[in-house]
């Protein structure tokens, strides 16, 4: 801690000592200085600096040269570069000044601890100037009397130093003030120079590291003059239509410089300059007549000049001036052609004459009119017809024949040579051969092979072939000595052109030879739309339409059909482009195919939309081969079945349409003496007065008319009830259930038979009324069936009873279906219930009725009817009737009936076929 | 009859470079060569024209066009040149005096015109031409040390009247124009004669040369 304060106090003392020393002399003085002072050093050279300490500092601060530290900026120079010359001088040496930087300072380390700056210098490092090179000068004429000279040079490398350039010039015995460049270092302009006096010019470059001078340039400034171009150029028409006279003024004195000239000119609108031969304008002048120009043509002129001997520079081109040559008569007749339309009349032609307006260089002026002359050739004898028209076409109706048509163009100066065209009767001359086209340089070239005969000229016709527009003919003439030319119209790419070449002879013309051509082809704008014409099991016939000309964009070279299945590879088939139909073969049956078609030109192809189709599962005739045998077999089976049925018709009839005995025809009805001999069933009200039955449930199943049951319809059941009551103790039943008599005998009569016949399709079965009347014991009632259907044999024959179980079982099902109703409505009057059932389901009732009419089924017990005593009685009755073929009177006990009401006992009188023998 | 030709399509830079090389043969650092006689003659022709234009301009600018005020009594030293082969040798003295006279006129006009006035520019240009001719004559006749003789002569006496100075300047310029015109005519005539003799010498047998 003490040492730190000690060092600080010592340093402060030293600083104050230095200051006191400096101030003591009245001036602020440093303890030393560096030699050299702020040097400018050449880059890459070596450099040594000396730091010299003042003697006065030695005494006060104990400062010596060995304490000196050299620094570049804040970086200490390695002590290896130091050299202590004596106790007050220290040097530092740098082998390469490129390592130097500003400032370079001399410092001391007082008492070996505190660093104090003694002195510092700035070091500038750079390069000496290089010798300026490529000095050149030019004297620009600014005005008639002002000729500043500008010299330029290459200043050389960058020196990193402030380098001045001076352009020096002198005469042999006279020096001029230097020309000092402003803002640049490579050029300077001397305001005025003197011609015809040799001048020495050179450039001096100088900086802190040295000077350099360019090689001197000795010249006469007149040799490097770039004069001003001639001015006030005028162009005047000469006497001749091919001459224009130019006049101008030179802006440099002839005494100073003799000039030569260049004259250039071009047709207005053109960019191609032409030039008057230089040798024609190599002498001093102020005018010149340009010859060989085209009449009535506007020209643009420009002129420039330079020293006559060619020493110096060309001036700029003068401002452009225009002049128009005078008119001359047309140099040639207009190109002439025709379109002959012979379709309107067989005896005459409609001739469309057309000619082209002359090019300006041919018209040599403004064409005022065209004179058209039609001369008929023999054998026609018609006076020449003359027309004067302003347009370039003329339509005439001429009789068939040969004509000579001449067209002459007129301008203000005169007439053109005539253009002659023969209109022959037929194109009977030799045509050209091998017409061909070739796109070249954006134009369409047409070539042909000339016929053997001498051809005056050729006419090339062409038109754009399009679906959307008519073929508008364009044409051009070509001399007879050529065999090819470029079409001069606006030929568009991707368009089809029909080109026809006609040779014209002195006595007629040859037939045209045509060719189609494209200037440039492209892919078709769309592909053909393909579709199927016919699809088979393994083949498909595809059809398409040709692309229109506008869609083709080129010559269709091929059609390609691509087809594939969903997961298969695509197959390509090339098709003749002239075809519009193709049959794909070897296809897989019942397979979805995707097909598309591509039309290709020389430039590529484009596909049309995809089309899908599915091949058929069966080939042609396969279905017929299957269906026909199957049908035949079916028919055979049907036929056999019919025959079988026919042979077994009795058996079938017996099973399907069992003979139901008609109770109305039962002899028992006639047999019973207590029964009125004749039931008037038609008068049912009498037979069954209203209210004689209670709780009568009747089910009528009418197959035809499903009319509702009316009370009138139910009245006959009253009678039955009575009959049942009277037949107590007798075994009686309905249908097969009655073993004692035939139901037909008991209920039918003749009238009833009529009724039955009227309702032949109606199957009515009687039902059993089980409810008692007014709380009386229900009586067992037999009802009858009015069905005309015969009873089954099983019912009619005792021997069939055993087999009746099947039928019983079948009917049991029906009964079960309807039994439910009975089961749930046992407390209700049966009539009501039956009505409900009838209205609910007639079909069900049919089964129910069938069960009831069979009456033999022992399965009735299984219907649940035993829940009701009445039902149980009925089941007993039915069971007994079925099993014992007897009806026990006690089965209806509890039904006290009056004598009148007691049914009579019937005995069978006769046994009819199908009836039952009484037992 | 010329034939249409396409415009020159060669690179302008290349053309210019070739012209420079051809037109400036001394770019390689040749020593300052003495002027040719053709240069002196061309300079004289140029100076004659310039002198005429300067006089006309001066006369008009100074409003001295009346009564041919300037056309008479030129300075004695401008009444030459003496025709003969030694005309050029006598020329430096005249030009020296003329240079001095132009300086005087310029000094006078500088008092009458603002800096950059046309008359000053023309006087400076003419003065430069006179000095150029002197330089050429020095180169053409190096043995003729005219430097001593061309020391600045004492100027005209102290200006008395401005008009008198104008008139004096006008007379000097008129005399100078006449002098240079006659000098040019003599040189042109001699040049023509020499060319004619040269052509004759090329055509016919050699004849003794006449100076």
């Amino acid at each position: 801690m003490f040492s730190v304060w000690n060092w600080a106090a010592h340093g402060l003392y030293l600083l104050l000592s230095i200051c006191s020393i400096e101030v003591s002399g009245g001036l602020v003085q440093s303890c030393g200085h560096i030699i050299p002072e702020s040097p400018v050093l050449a880059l890459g050279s070596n450099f040594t600096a000396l730091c010299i300490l003042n003697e006065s500092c030695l005494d006060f601060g104990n400062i010596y040269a060995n304490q000196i530290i050299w620094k570049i900026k804040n970086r200490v120079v390695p002590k290896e570069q130091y050299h202590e010359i004596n106790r007050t001088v220290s040097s530092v040496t740098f082998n390469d000044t490129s390592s130097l930087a500003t400032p370079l300072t001399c410092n001391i380390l007082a008492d070996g601890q505190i660093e104090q700056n003694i002195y510092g210098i700035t070091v500038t490092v750079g390069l000496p100037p290089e010798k300026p090179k490529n000095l050149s000068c030019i004297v620009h004429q600014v005005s008639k009397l002002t000729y500043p000279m500008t010299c330029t040079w290459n200043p050389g490398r960058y020196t990193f130093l402030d380098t001045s350039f001076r352009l020096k010039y002198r005469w042999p015995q006279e020096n001029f003030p230097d020309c000092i460049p402003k803002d640049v270092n490579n050029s300077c302009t001397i305001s005025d120079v003197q011609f015809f006096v040799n001048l020495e010019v050179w450039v001096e470059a100088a900086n802190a590291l040295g000077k350099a001078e360019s090689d001197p340039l000795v010249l006469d400034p007149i040799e490097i003059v770039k004069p001003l171009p001639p001015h006030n150029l005028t162009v005047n028409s000469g006497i001749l239509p091919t001459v224009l006279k130019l006049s101008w003024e030179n802006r440099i004195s002839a005494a100073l410089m003799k000039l030569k000239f260049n004259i250039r000119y071009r047709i207005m609108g053109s960019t191609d300059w032409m030039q008057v031969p230089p040798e024609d304008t190599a002498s001093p002048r102020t005018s010149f007549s340009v010859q060989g120009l085209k009449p009535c043509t506007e020209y643009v002129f420009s002129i420039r000049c330079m020293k006559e001997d060619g020493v110096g520079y060309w001036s700029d081109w003068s401002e452009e001036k225009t002049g128009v040559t005078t008119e001359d008569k047309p140099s040639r007749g207009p190109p002439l052609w025709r379109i002959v339309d012979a379709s309107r009349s067989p005896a005459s032609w409609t001739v469309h004459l057309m000619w082209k307006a002359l090019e300006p260089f041919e018209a040599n002026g403004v064409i005022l009119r065209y004179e058209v002359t039609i001369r008929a050739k023999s054998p026609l004898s018609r006076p020449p017809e003359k027309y004067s028209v302003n347009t370039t076409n003329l339509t005439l109706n001429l009789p068939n024949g040969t004509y000579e048509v001449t067209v002459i163009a007129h301008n203000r100066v005169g007439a053109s040579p005539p253009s002659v065209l023969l209109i022959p009767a037929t194109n009977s001359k030799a045509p050209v051969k091998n017409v061909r086209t070739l796109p070249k340089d954006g134009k369409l070239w047409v070539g042909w092979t000339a016929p053997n005969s001498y051809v005056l000229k050729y006419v090339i016709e062409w038109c754009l072939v399009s679906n959307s527009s008519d073929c508008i003919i364009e044409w051009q003439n070509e001399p007879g000595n050529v065999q090819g030319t470029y079409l001069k119209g606006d030929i568009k790419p991707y368009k089809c052109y029909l080109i026809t070449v006609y040779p014209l002879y002195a006595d007629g013309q040859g037939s045209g030879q045509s060719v189609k051509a494209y200037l440039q082809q492209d892919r078709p704008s769309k592909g053909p739309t393909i579709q199927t014409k016919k699809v088979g099991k393994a083949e498909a016939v595809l059809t398409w339409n040709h692309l229109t000309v506008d869609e083709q964009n080129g010559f269709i070279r091929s059609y390609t059909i691509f087809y594939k299945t969903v997961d298969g590879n695509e197959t390509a088939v090339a098709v003749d482009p002239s075809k519009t139909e193709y049959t794909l073969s070897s296809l897989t049956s019942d397979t979805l195919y995707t097909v598309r078609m591509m039309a290709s030109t020389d430039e590529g192809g484009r596909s049309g939309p995809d089309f899908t189709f599915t091949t058929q599962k069966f080939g042609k005739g396969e279905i017929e081969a299957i269906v026909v045998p199957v049908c035949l077999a079916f028919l055979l089976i049907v036929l056999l079945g019919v025959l079988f049925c026919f042979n077994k018709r009795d058996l079938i009839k017996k099973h399907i349409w069992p003979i139901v005995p008609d109770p109305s025809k039962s002899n028992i009805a006639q047999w019973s003496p207590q029964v009125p001999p004749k039931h008037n069933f038609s008068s049912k009200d009498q037979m069954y007065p209203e209210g004689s039955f209670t709780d009568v449930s009747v089910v009528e199943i009418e197959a035809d008319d499903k009319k509702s049951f009316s009370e009138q319809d139910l009245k006959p059941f009253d009678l039955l009830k009575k009959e049942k009551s009277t037949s107590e103790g007798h075994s009686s039943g309905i249908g097969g259930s009655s073993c004692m008599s035939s139901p037909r005998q008991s209920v039918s009569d003749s009238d009833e038979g009529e009724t039955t016949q009227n309702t032949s399709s109606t199957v009515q079965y009687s039902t059993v009324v089980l409810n008692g009347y007014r709380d009386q014991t229900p009586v067992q009632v037999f009802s009858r069936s009015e069905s005309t259907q015969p009873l089954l044999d099983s019912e009619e024959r005792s021997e069939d009873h055993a087999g009746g179980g099947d039928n019983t079982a079948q009917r049991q099902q029906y009964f079960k279906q309807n039994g439910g109703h009975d089961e749930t409505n046992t407390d209700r009057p049966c009539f009501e219930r039956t009505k409900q059932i009838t209205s609910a389901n007639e079909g069900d009732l049919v089964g129910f009725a069938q069960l009831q009419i069979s009456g033999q089924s022992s399965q009735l017990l299984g219907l649940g009817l035993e829940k009701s005593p009445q039902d149980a009685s009925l089941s007993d009755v039915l069971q007994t009737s079925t099993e014992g073929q007897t009806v026990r009177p006690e089965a209806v006990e509890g039904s006290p009936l009056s004598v009148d009401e007691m049914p009579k006992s019937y005995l069978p009188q006769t046994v009819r076929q199908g009836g039952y023998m009484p037992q | 009859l010329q034939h249409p030709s396409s415009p020159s399509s060669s690179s302008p830079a290349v053309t210019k470079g070739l012209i420079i090389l051809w037109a400036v043969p001394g770019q390689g650092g040749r020593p300052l060569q003495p002027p040719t006689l053709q240069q002196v003659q061309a300079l004289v022709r140029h100076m004659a024209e310039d002198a005429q234009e300067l006089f006309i301009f001066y006369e008009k600018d100074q409003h001295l066009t009346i009564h041919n005020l300037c056309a008479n009594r030129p300075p004695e030293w401008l009444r030459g040149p003496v025709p003969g082969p030694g005309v050029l040798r006598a020329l430096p003295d005249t030009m020296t005096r003329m240079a001095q006279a132009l300086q005087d006129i310029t000094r006078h006009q500088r008092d009458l015109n603002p800096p950059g006035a046309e008359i000053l520019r023309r006087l400076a240009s003419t003065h430069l031409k006179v000095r150029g001719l002197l330089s050429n004559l020095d180169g053409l006749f190096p043995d003729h040390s005219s430097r001593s003789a061309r020391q600045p002569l004492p100027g005209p006496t102290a200006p008395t009247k401005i008009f008198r100075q104008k008139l004096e300047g006008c007379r000097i310029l008129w005399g100078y124009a006449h002098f240079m015109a006659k000098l040019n005519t003599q040189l042109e005539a001699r040049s023509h004669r020499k060319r004619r003799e040269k052509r004759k010498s090329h055509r016919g047998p050699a004849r003794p040369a006449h100076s």
Side-chain angles (χ1 to χ4, degrees):
Chain A
M1 190 69 179
F2 173 78
S3 60
V4 172
W5 282 108
N6 187 27
W7 280 112
H10 189 81
L12 182 61
Y13 167 75
L14 177 62
L15 183 61
L16 292 174
S17 300
I18 294 173
C19 292
S20 62
I21 292 171
E22 292 169 350
V23 174
S24 63
L27 296 173
V28 177
Q29 293 181 348
S30 172
C31 263
H33 64 280
I34 297 175
I35 296 174
E37 180 79 28
S38 300
V40 177
L41 306 175
L43 193 64
S45 64
N46 57 11
F47 170 67
T48 298
L50 301 175
C51 183
I52 302 170
L53 298 177
N54 294 338
E55 289 290 341
S56 57
C57 289
L58 301 181
D59 301 332
F60 289 94
N62 294 325
I63 300 171
Y64 300 100
N66 59 356
Q67 295 175 289
I68 288 177
I69 297 174
W70 291 92
K71 278 189 172 181
I72 300 174
K73 285 189 174 177
N74 292 322
R75 181 172 55 87
V76 176
V77 178
K79 293 199 173 183
E80 290 79 16
Q81 297 177 234
Y82 300 175
H83 178 62
E84 184 181 351
I85 297 175
N86 54 38
R87 67 186 193 121
T88 61
V89 178
S90 172
S91 69
V92 63
T93 301
F94 299 93
N95 292 327
D96 189 351
T97 53
S98 60
S99 63
L100 276 172
T102 294
L104 175 63
T105 58
C106 172
N107 309 275
I108 62 167
L109 200 59
D111 290 338
Q113 295 296 325
I114 300 176
E115 184 178 303
Q116 182 68 38
N117 175 251
I118 299 298
Y119 204 79
I121 60 172
T122 60
V123 178
T124 304
V125 180
L127 293 169
E130 278 190 322
K131 175 182 173 182
K133 301 182 181 68
N134 301 330
L135 175 63
S136 63
C137 300
I138 182 171
V139 175
H140 289 279
Q141 183 187 11
V142 175
S143 66
K144 187 174 182 179
L145 300 176
T146 307
Y147 296 89
M149 182 176 76
T150 300
C151 294
T152 57
W153 61 88
N154 180 1
R157 68 187 177 189
Y158 180 62
T159 62
F160 306 100
L161 300 175
D162 185 16
T163 304
S164 64
F165 291 86
R166 291 171 175 267
L167 178 66
K168 293 178 171 291
Y169 60 106
R170 67 178 179 90
W171 288 337
Q173 278 82 32
E174 185 171 353
N175 292 326
F176 295 96
D178 295 342
C179 177
I180 300 174
K182 292 179 181 177
D183 303 326
V184 295
N185 63 355
N186 65 340
S187 71
C188 194
T189 300
I190 300 169
S191 60
D192 198 8
V193 293
Q194 181 56 51
F195 297 125
F196 308 115
V197 181
N198 289 335
L199 185 67
E200 184 178 13
V201 182
W202 72 98
V203 177
E204 180 187 270
N207 64 14
L209 295 177
K211 285 184 181 180
E213 289 186 351
S214 69
D215 293 331
L217 182 64
V218 178
L219 51 87
D220 183 349
I222 197 66
E223 297 172 344
I224 54 172
V225 173
K226 180 180 180 180
L228 286 172
H231 69 144
N232 294 337
L233 178 64
T234 58
V235 183
N236 297 311
S237 301
I239 300 173
L240 298 175
T242 59
V243 175
L244 286 174
K245 183 179 181 181
L246 308 183
S247 299
W248 64 88
E249 294 178 15
N250 297 318
R251 284 187 281 188
I252 192 166
S253 167
L256 181 63
M257 183 187 293
K258 291 183 179 178
L259 298 174
K260 66 177 181 180
F261 303 89
N262 276 166
I263 298 174
R264 64 178 184 177
Y265 61 99
R266 60 181 170 86
I267 297 174
M268 178 65 84
S270 171
T271 57
D272 297 330
W273 286 98
M274 297 165 282
Q275 192 166 350
V276 175
E279 57 271 21
D280 293 348
T281 54
S283 58
R285 61 183 65 238
T286 56
S287 65
F288 188 80
S289 292
V290 183
Q291 306 171 19
L293 303 177
K294 296 170 182 174
C296 194
T297 304
E298 185 175 14
Y299 285 90
V300 180
F301 292 92
S302 182
I303 188 172
R304 68 177 181 176
C305 65
M306 76 174 298
K307 195 164 178 282
E308 183 185 20
D309 57 6
V311 177
Y313 299 93
W314 280 105
S315 71
D316 295 328
W317 287 102
S318 70
E319 60 179 352
E320 297 176 355
K321 286 297 176 72
T322 61
V324 183
T325 52
T326 56
E327 286 191 20
D328 196 2
K329 62 182 180 181
S331 61
R332 55 174 292 191
L336 178 61
W337 189 232
R338 87 293 175 272
I339 297 176
V340 178
D341 184 3
S343 62
R344 295 187 179 180
S345 172
S348 65
W349 294 336
T350 299
V351 179
H352 302 279
L353 293 175
M354 44 193 184
W355 54 91
K356 290 184 182 295
L358 292 170
E359 296 292 334
F361 64 90
E362 299 168 331
N364 293 337
V366 179
I367 300 299
L368 302 176
R369 62 187 176 87
Y370 297 97
E371 181 181 312
V372 183
T373 305
I374 313 294
R375 293 185 179 85
K377 294 283 189 180
S378 61
L380 294 176
S381 60
R382 296 178 54 176
E385 298 177 8
K386 287 194 175 184
Y387 303 89
S388 180
V389 294
N390 296 323
T391 59
T392 56
N393 57 74
L394 179 65
T395 300
L396 300 171
N397 283 317
L398 300 174
N400 291 351
T402 303
Y403 297 89
E404 181 187 81
V405 179
T406 60
V407 176
I408 298 171
H410 290 266
N411 64 9
R412 276 190 285 267
V413 177
S416 72
S419 295
V420 181
L421 179 68
L422 283 177
I423 301 177
T426 58
N427 296 326
S428 57
K429 306 296 182 183
V432 298
K433 304 169 190 172
N434 190 24
V435 178
R436 58 201 179 276
T437 62
L438 179 67
K440 192 177 180 182
D441 300 332
K443 295 185 286 186
L444 194 57
W445 181 86
V446 182
W448 59 87
T449 302
N452 295 328
S453 306
Y454 174 73
V455 177
L456 283 180
K457 60 184 176 181
Y458 296 95
V459 174
I460 297 97
E461 270 186 7
W462 73 91
C463 70
L464 174 65
V465 181
S466 173
N467 302 104
S468 57
S469 62
D470 293 333
C471 188
I472 300 173
I473 292 177
E474 297 182 69
W475 57 278
Q476 68 186 58
N477 276 352
E478 294 299 330
N481 58 351
V482 302
Q483 296 189 32
T485 185
Y486 287 101
L487 296 186
K488 295 171 183 169
D490 179 20
I491 307 298
K492 297 181 176 64
Y494 319 132
K495 299 294 183 184
C496 181
Y497 287 90
L498 178 65
I499 303 167
T500 307
V501 179
Y502 295 91
L504 303 186
Y505 301 95
D507 55 349
Q509 70 180 59
S511 57
Q513 295 297 306
S514 300
V515 67
K516 284 185 176 179
Y518 286 86
L519 174 62
Q520 185 180 352
Q521 296 190 49
D522 195 6
R523 294 193 308 159
S525 56
K526 61 177 286 190
T529 301
I530 198 168
Q531 56 187 355
T532 54
K533 181 180 179 183
K534 184 180 177 185
V535 178
K537 179 182 178 183
E539 68 282 334
V541 180
L542 305 177
T543 62
W544 61 91
N545 292 325
H546 284 302
L547 294 177
T548 64
V549 176
D550 294 335
E551 295 169 342
Q552 289 180 3
N553 293 338
F555 294 112
I556 299 297
R557 300 302 184 192
S558 67
Y559 285 120
T560 306
I561 297 174
F562 299 93
Y563 64 99
K564 64 176 181 179
T565 59
V566 174
D567 53 352
N569 293 328
E570 193 172 59
T571 305
V573 179
V575 182
D576 186 347
S578 63
K579 304 291 185 185
T580 59
E581 184 176 308
Y582 185 79
T583 302
L584 294 178
S585 57
S586 302
L587 302 179
T588 307
S589 62
D590 195 20
T591 303
L592 178 66
Y593 279 91
T594 301
V595 62
R596 62 187 171 91
M597 189 167 200
M598 183 174 71
S600 300
T601 65
D602 293 337
E603 297 299 320
R606 194 181 293 277
S607 295
D610 286 349
F611 182 80
T612 58
F613 66 89
T614 304
T615 53
Q616 294 184 352
K617 191 171 185 178
F618 300 101
K620 183 179 180 182
E622 286 185 0
I623 294 177
E624 290 82 352
I626 294 172
V627 170
V628 170
V630 168
C631 292
L632 291 175
F634 179 75
L635 290 174
L636 183 59
I637 292 170
V638 169
L639 185 60
L640 291 175
V642 169
L643 291 175
F644 176 78
C645 292
F646 184 76
N647 291 332
K648 300 293 182 179
R649 61 184 179 279
D650 294 335
L651 183 59
I652 294 171
K653 185 177 180 183
K654 189 175 75 175
H655 283 282
I656 297 177
W657 296 287
I659 299 172
V660 178
D662 187 356
S664 66
K665 294 183 174 60
S666 175
N667 293 330
I668 195 169
Q670 300 172 0
W671 169 73
S672 176
Q674 295 179 1
V675 175
K678 187 176 182 180
H679 294 287
N680 187 6
F681 285 100
S682 61
S683 174
K684 293 180 180 178
D685 292 338
Q686 297 175 2
M687 291 288 292
Y688 310 102
E690 187 176 357
S692 61
F693 281 78
T694 59
D695 295 336
V696 175
S697 177
V698 177
V699 178
E700 287 187 358
I701 306 301
E702 295 179 7
D704 293 341
D705 53 353
K706 296 178 170 61
K707 62 184 179 182
S708 301
F709 302 112
S710 64
E711 292 182 356
Q712 190 173 2
D713 296 332
L714 295 174
K715 285 180 180 175
F717 290 93
D718 294 339
L719 179 59
L720 287 176
K721 186 178 179 180
K722 292 177 181 178
E723 290 176 354
K724 180 60 182 176
S725 299
T726 57
S727 62
E728 262 184 338
H730 297 280
S731 175
S732 179
I734 301 301
S737 64
S738 175
C739 298
M740 71 176 189
S741 65
S742 171
R744 285 172 291 187
Q745 292 174 343
S746 62
V747 296
S748 66
D749 58 9
S750 59
D751 295 336
E752 186 68 19
E754 292 175 4
T755 304
T756 303
Q757 290 174 355
N758 293 335
T759 59
S760 61
S761 60
T762 300
V763 180
Q764 295 183 348
Y765 295 93
S766 63
T767 187
V768 178
V769 178
L770 300 177
N771 293 345
Y773 175 70
R774 295 180 180 176
D775 298 328
Q776 295 179 0
T777 304
V779 296
Q780 185 176 8
V781 178
F782 295 96
S783 62
R784 70 174 178 82
S785 170
E786 295 178 357
S787 172
T788 58
Q789 190 173 6
L791 292 173
L792 297 175
D793 290 346
S794 60
E795 295 173 328
E796 294 175 345
R797 298 173 187 173
S798 59
E799 62 269 19
D800 292 334
H801 290 175
D806 295 336
N807 294 331
T808 304
Q810 183 178 0
R811 283 156 191 166
Q812 178 187 356
Q813 295 177 355
Y814 289 117
F815 197 83
K816 282 182 178 177
Q817 291 174 355
N818 297 291
H821 298 287
D822 294 336
E823 183 178 81
T824 56
N825 296 287
T826 51
D827 296 337
R828 294 183 182 181
C830 291
F831 180 72
E832 293 176 6
R833 283 182 279 146
T834 308
K835 271 192 167 181
Q836 293 172 355
I837 293 170
T838 303
S839 61
N841 193 334
E842 292 181 4
D844 292 342
L845 291 174
V846 171
F848 185 45
Q850 286 178 346
L851 172 67
Q852 289 174 335
I853 198 168
S854 66
Q856 301 171 359
S857 176
S858 61
Q859 302 299 326
L860 220 83
L861 294 172
L863 298 178
L865 297 175
E866 66 273 13
K867 291 181 180 178
S868 170
Q870 294 84 349
D871 295 344
S873 300
L874 177 60
S875 63
D876 292 339
V877 171
L878 294 176
Q879 186 176 14
T880 304
S881 172
T882 304
E883 292 176 353
Q885 297 293 322
T886 59
V887 176
R888 288 176 296 185
E890 59 271 20
V892 291
E893 65 180 357
S895 55
L897 299 175
S898 63
V899 177
D900 294 337
E901 292 171 340
M902 288 295 289
K904 298 298 184 293
S905 176
Y906 295 94
L907 293 175
Q909 292 177 340
T910 60
V911 177
R912 290 187 178 180
Q913 186 179 2
Y916 289 94
M917 294 295 289
Q919 295 179 5
Chain B
L1 183 66
Q2 76 280 357
H3 303 284
S5 60
S6 61
S8 60
S9 58
S10 59
S11 169
V14 173
T15 305
K16 185 181 290 186
L18 292 174
I19 291 174
I20 290 173
L21 290 175
W22 184 64
V24 190
Q27 299 244 356
R30 69 181 180 183
L32 198 56
Q33 293 179 347
T36 63
L37 187 57
Q38 287 75 22
Q39 280 180 297
V40 174
Q41 288 180 348
L43 181 56
V44 168
R45 183 170 60 247
H46 179 42
M47 291 173 68
E49 184 182 56
D50 176 73
Q52 183 67 28
E53 291 177 353
L54 177 63
F55 167 71
I56 294 172
F57 183 85
Y58 185 93
E59 188 182 42
K60 187 175 181 181
D61 185 71
Q62 303 297 314
H63 308 287
L64 299 172
T65 55
I66 55 173
H67 304 305
N68 293 326
L69 289 177
C70 307
N72 295 319
R73 294 184 298 172
E76 186 67 26
W77 48 273
L78 282 176
R79 290 184 183 175
V82 180
V87 63
L88 291 179
R89 289 187 177 274
L91 198 54
D93 292 338
T94 306
M95 291 297 108
T96 300
R97 298 192 68 136
M98 185 63 206
Q100 183 62 49
L102 285 171
Q103 276 189 326
D104 295 339
I105 296 171
T106 301
R107 188 163 50 246
H108 178 229
Q109 289 297 322
R110 201 173 285 140
D111 295 336
L112 300 177
N113 294 278
E118 177 66 14
I119 184 63
L120 297 177
R121 198 192 63 77
R122 285 181 176 249
L123 286 170
S125 178
T126 301
H127 185 235
L128 183 63
K129 290 175 175 60
V130 173
R131 285 156 51 202
L133 181 58
L134 281 171
S135 179
N136 278 353
L137 292 174
D138 280 347
L140 196 61
F141 308 110
D143 56 331
H144 183 271
S145 178
S146 61
R147 280 289 159 186
S148 58
R150 284 197 278 135
Q151 293 300 318
L153 297 175
T157 56
T160 53
K161 291 182 180 177
I162 293 177
F163 178 75
R164 190 171 177 180
Q165 289 178 341
K166 282 185 178 182
L167 188 60
E168 184 63 23
C170 186
R171 285 175 178 168
I172 291 174
L173 292 180
W174 183 87
Y176 171 65
H178 263 255
F179 180 87
M180 293 306 298
K182 284 190 287 186
L183 177 64
N184 181 44
T185 303
Q186 290 180 21
L187 293 178
E188 288 288 333
R190 193 170 69 173
S191 176
H192 276 289
R193 189 166 56 248
K194 283 190 174 180
R195 281 201 298 269
R196 192 166 52 245
E197 291 173 353
K198 193 174 183 179
R199 282 198 298 268
K200 286 181 180 178
S201 64
H202 280 290
R203 290 173 186 171
R207 293 181 181 178
H210 299 281
S211 60

